[in-house]
Amino acid sequence: MQARKERRSTVLSAGAELAVFEYGPPPAHGVPTLLLVHGYPDDHQLFLPAIAELAVTHHVIAYDTRNAGMSSVKEPPGDFTLNTLVNDLFAVLASTGAANVHLIGHDWGSIQGWAAVQDPRASGVISRFTSISGPDLGHFLRWMRSRAGNLRGWPQLVAQLLRSSYIAAFQVPLLPEAAWRLFLTRLYENAAGRRVNDNPIRGLALYRSNRFPSGKVKAPTPVGVPVTVVVPLKDPFLSPHLTAGLRSWVTDLTVIPVDGGHWWPATHHKELAGLLRAS
């Protein structure tokens, strides 16, 4: 099927070689463009079922983030700080010549997306953002601190701390790597029905390079583009309450609860495709 034919290129960005994949019709007037950014421990293959649906009518761009999938870094593990990840995202957009892009991010891809839409380079390039299971890191910290300062918020805070406990485990040297090699990768691949190979080990640097600051958290940059936050209600890692407070700095916000888990984009790809076609 022509719409599903893959066009691959490589983009160089800050010590990384990023594998970029395009599908569907090339950029043209009247052809909407989507940029899909995956999270941990996946690569662009997470979105392939949805891409097969969308590429009939959309120009679709996906890429393996640095050191995931077919992407690589010159000196592993490389620079995984959020600023560098956002630079990668804009490097991919520049290489494809895309404009008025609907950005869709899942997990760490969504975290990058939140930072991207607050970046001045987004103006005229990113026209819409859909976030799935990945909060803005500054908002996440502000949300946690607001609950910590109010007894009524403690139940939500404790529940989210339990959901996030794996992040502390990922900081331990060598142990997470051993767990992924011994059994976690096999369990994940069997449950997900797709290969992740050594992505889980290569991507641990995401958590080790982006620790939460202990001081004052800077105020968010107001976001003017339309933002849709998809909230899988069965997500074991993120509380649905995390959307509270977004309207104070996101002008055009839509929150859509869905019946699914953290990997909703893969398990409910037809729903994702339908949502993106309608936006």
Side-chain angles (χ1 to χ4, degrees), residues 40-42 65-68 77 80 108 170 180 198-209:
Y40 178 89
D42 293 295
T65 59
R66 55 177 49 222
N67 215 24
F80 274 76
W108 267 97
F170 281 174
W180 279 110
D198 58 351
N199 287 343
I201 294 171
R202 293 157 70 190
L204 285 169
L206 284 166
Y207 296 92
R208 294 168 177 171
S209 301

Side-chain angles (χ1 to χ4, degrees), residues 181-237:
R181 287 191 180 98
L182 290 172
F183 63 93
L184 283 181
T185 297
R186 182 176 67 256
L187 291 175
Y188 181 86
E189 291 181 338
N190 288 341
R194 61 181 176 275
R195 299 293 300 277
V196 291
N197 301 311
D198 58 351
N199 287 343
I201 294 171
R202 293 157 70 190
L204 285 169
L206 284 166
Y207 296 92
R208 294 168 177 171
S209 301
N210 294 284
R211 294 172 182 156
F212 290 119
S214 56
K216 185 177 179 180
V217 182
K218 75 172 186 176
T221 301
V223 175
V225 299
V227 175
T228 299
V229 179
V230 178
V231 182
L233 296 177
K234 297 175 183 175
D235 193 328
F237 307 116

Side-chain angles (χ1 to χ4, degrees), residues 14 36 42 49 111 133 137 158 196 217 244 261 269:
L36 301 165
D42 293 295
I111 292 172
S133 294
L137 291 186
V158 171
V196 291
V217 182
H269 64 274

Side-chain angles (χ1 to χ4, degrees), residues 239-279:
S239 167
H241 298 293
L242 281 167
T243 58
L246 283 176
R247 294 189 188 278
S248 66
W249 56 282
V250 180
T251 305
D252 186 348
L253 177 68
T254 301
V255 177
I256 302 178
V258 294
D259 183 18
H262 186 76
W263 283 275
W264 179 83
T267 59
H268 294 70
H269 64 274
K270 289 186 179 293
E271 289 182 36
L272 173 61
L275 173 68
L276 298 179
R277 278 195 296 262
S279 60

Side-chain angles (χ1 to χ4, degrees), residues 35-40 46-47 63 65 82 85-86 89 103-118 129-137 227-230 232 238 246 249 262 265:
L35 173 62
L36 301 165
V37 188
H38 69 86
Y40 178 89
L46 170 82
F47 292 115
Y63 69 102
T65 59
L82 186 56
L85 296 170
V86 173
L89 188 154
L103 171 63
I104 301 98
H106 173 251
D107 189 79
W108 267 97
S110 177
I111 292 172
Q112 294 169 59
W114 280 111
V117 294
Q118 295 175 74
F129 174 46
T130 295
S131 163
I132 310 166
S133 294
D136 174 77
L137 291 186
V227 175
T228 299
V229 179
V230 178
L238 294 168
L246 283 176
W249 56 282
H262 186 76

